[in-house]
Amino acid sequence: MESRRAAAVLGVLVLVLTSGCVAVAPPTNDPEPEALFESAFVYGEDLEDVTGEVTVTVNGTNGTSTERLRVAERPYVDYRDEVLESTTPGRVGDQYVSNASMTWWYYPQSGMAQYVEQDEPFDSDAVRADRAERADEYLQWYDLEYQGTEEIADREAHVLDVEAKAEAVERGISLLVGDTEYVYAVETVESPDDLTIVEQKIWIDTEYDYPLKERLVYEGPNGERHELVHQYETVSFNEGLEDETFTFEPPEDAVVQELPSE
């Protein structure tokens, strides 16, 4: 279930000849689609932390899976979520906690706690730079269209439509905005491993340049499609989260297992 941007303003002058008259359209204040796309990877400089409840819905050939998560995040390496509700048996209460040096997965219904300790702590600036580089790389593979604003979680959000170019689909490039938090959700409907994102729409907070909602359409090797929607139902910014939010101490009766670091 694993970034983040100031938008430039484009003024376009359109000349329309009508009955010998010249009409000049006023400049638009719409943000550039490329800048919005980059905001899905690299957030606004004023963003310190995010908390809220998120709904994740996956529609696939084997049915629909839905989960509601409590989420806390500090860009770009501190993250925590807990499953509050799920249509998948055994998922309620599962937790994922990650910081610069340690990642935990806790499964209370089985009593299992697994962790990975990094050989070298993640550096937030390095992760931010890597995300910015990935955004630049992906830009060449997608057509972008700005579609105005909508309200998500009681906040105004820019709407950006993202569609893979034909050559990107042929190449098999995949784009997972916001890291890999989506993978577990897709797996719950037994989707094939070889998936390419062919359609995407992102709703980005107008103040903090943070994605509040994302809709992705995956296509499998045989043309089957799976839709994933990740949406904040409630959200708060800059609450002043403490380091303890992103640490985890397993219960005394938990079975603790160390996993190899990559």
Side-chain angles (χ1 to χ4, degrees), residues 7-255:
V9 175
L10 174 64
V12 180
L13 297 180
V14 181
L15 299 181
V16 181
L17 299 180
T18 306
S19 301
C21 298
V22 178
V24 180
T28 174
N29 291 321
D30 292 347
E32 287 188 355
E34 291 80 6
L36 285 178
F37 183 80
E38 291 172 354
S39 342
F41 292 81
V42 181
Y43 312 140
E45 295 294 338
D46 294 337
L47 181 62
E48 298 177 1
D49 58 61
V50 184
T51 56
E53 291 190 3
V54 170
T55 298
V56 181
T57 303
V58 179
N59 297 304
T61 55
N62 295 308
T64 299
S65 172
T66 302
E67 291 192 345
R68 185 167 61 91
L69 312 174
R70 181 185 294 116
V71 172
E73 179 180 3
R74 284 193 313 203
Y76 290 95
V77 298
D78 294 330
Y79 182 87
R80 182 183 196 119
D81 70 38
E82 178 181 357
V83 180
L84 303 177
E85 298 176 1
S86 179
T87 57
T88 302
R91 284 279 299 166
V92 173
D94 287 5
Q95 296 183 50
Y96 173 83
V97 185
S98 185
N99 56 46
S101 58
M102 185 85 72
T103 298
W104 283 92
W105 295 264
Y106 176 53
Y107 311 101
Q109 297 198 35
S110 65
M112 173 69 72
Q114 299 176 317
Y115 73 94
V116 171
E117 188 170 6
Q118 303 301 327
D119 296 331
E120 295 183 7
F122 288 114
D123 180 84
S124 182
D125 289 338
V127 174
R128 183 187 186 281
D130 178 69
R131 294 176 67 88
E133 185 177 327
R134 280 195 289 153
D136 288 339
E137 176 187 351
Y138 287 138
L139 270 174
Q140 64 181 312
W141 298 111
Y142 291 87
D143 290 319
L144 309 175
E145 180 184 354
Y146 181 66
Q147 297 185 334
T149 61
E150 294 181 11
E151 189 174 281
I152 302 294
D154 295 325
R155 296 185 62 86
E156 184 180 35
H158 295 297
V159 184
L160 181 66
D161 186 72
V162 183
E163 185 171 354
K165 297 178 181 179
E167 56 267 34
V169 176
E170 292 174 0
R171 175 186 170 122
I173 186 172
S174 293
L175 169 61
L176 294 180
V177 170
D179 299 317
T180 57
E181 289 90 358
Y182 302 119
V183 173
Y184 81 90
V186 174
E187 289 174 348
T188 61
V189 291
E190 301 179 0
S191 301
D193 294 331
D194 186 14
L195 293 174
T196 297
I197 295 179
V198 293
E199 294 180 19
Q200 182 174 6
K201 186 171 288 189
I202 314 173
W203 289 254
I204 299 170
D205 187 80
T206 58
E207 181 177 2
Y208 291 104
D209 294 338
Y210 184 84
L212 297 176
K213 178 179 177 180
E214 298 175 64
R215 175 185 175 270
L216 304 99
V217 177
Y218 298 81
E219 186 171 283
N222 298 319
E224 68 277 22
R225 293 201 169 192
H226 311 265
E227 178 192 60
L228 184 148
V229 179
H230 179 283
Q231 176 175 345
Y232 274 88
E233 304 296 342
T234 63
V235 66
S236 298
F237 296 102
N238 296 353
E239 294 290 300
L241 298 179
E242 302 292 339
D243 291 344
E244 290 74 17
T245 303
F246 306 101
T247 59
F248 180 78
E249 188 69 31
E252 293 184 0
D253 59 349
V255 177

